[in-house]
Amino acid sequence: MKKDEFKNDYFYVVVRSEKKDGRDVLIYCSGINVTRFLPMMKGRLGLGSNPIVSGLQLVKYDLCTLAHAKGATPTEHYCNIGCAGIAPTKEGWYTEPLLIENPGNMTPEEVVGFAVKGMVKRINATSLAETTLADDLSPADLQKQLDILCNPA
């Protein structure tokens, strides 16, 4: 089993390759810490609308498009794919799991990189800050930047 992950106190993406019913699959587990991102929203949340939650959903849909383009079959499969317990803190998390069947040459590293870049793009689009986050930071470095962005002095 191959696995790759990007995890900090704001969001995570964990992808692992497995066999399911004798077929190759990728298990995609992602989540965002709604509690930590709330200060960045600065009261801009509409009823039932959170741009950070929407961002995580859009990243998953972009991943589905990528998977289809590579001949894989993404399946929104919400139970029994092993994503429970991944969140690094006990705060309020929103999660988006996905099962990718017949991934062909898609790798956990490729999927994690794709999802992290997509999530950083969404965070930058949502933020009112003048500076933007780089999409190639380590989990710890990105966390430091998000600490500043979400909790300005």
Side-chain angles (χ1 to χ4, degrees):
M1 174 175 80
K2 290 176 64 178
K3 176 181 171 183
D4 194 35
E5 66 180 36
F6 185 99
K7 238 191 231 192
N8 62 34
D9 291 346
Y10 287 87
F11 73 94
Y12 66 84
V13 177
V14 176
V15 179
R16 62 185 188 279
S17 61
E18 292 186 4
K19 291 277 189 192
K20 185 172 175 84
D21 300 326
R23 296 183 322 237
D24 290 333
V25 298
L26 291 177
I27 307 294
Y28 171 84
C29 305
S30 66
I32 54 113
N33 187 329
V34 177
T35 306
R36 294 221 180 194
F37 275 111
L38 281 178
M40 190 180 84
M41 298 298 96
K42 298 181 176 135
R44 295 183 292 140
L45 298 178
L47 292 174
S49 173
N50 181 322
I52 296 298
V53 169
S54 297
L56 191 67
Q57 292 167 337
L58 290 171
V59 168
K60 183 174 87 170
Y61 298 140
D62 289 346
L63 178 57
C64 288
T65 301
L66 175 68
H68 279 297
K70 293 186 170 243
T73 306
T75 305
E76 292 192 53
H77 190 50
Y78 292 97
C79 59
N80 300 323
I81 64 170
C83 289
I86 292 176
T89 71
K90 299 287 183 201
E91 296 160 298
W93 288 82
Y94 175 82
T95 61
E96 283 289 340
L98 182 69
L99 177 69
I100 302 173
E101 299 177 295
N102 305 312
N105 65 354
M106 292 180 75
T107 65
E109 296 82 12
E110 174 189 12
V111 174
V112 168
F114 180 87
V116 169
K117 287 180 182 188
M119 198 59 212
V120 169
K121 175 183 165 185
R122 300 293 194 274
I123 293 167
N124 283 333
T126 301
S127 171
L128 295 176
E130 292 181 19
T131 59
T132 58
L133 301 169
D135 63 10
D136 60 352
L137 297 172
S138 71
D141 288 339
L142 184 56
Q143 178 162 325
K144 288 176 190 171
Q145 295 298 310
L146 288 169
D147 283 341
I148 294 166
L149 183 66
C150 292
N151 299 300

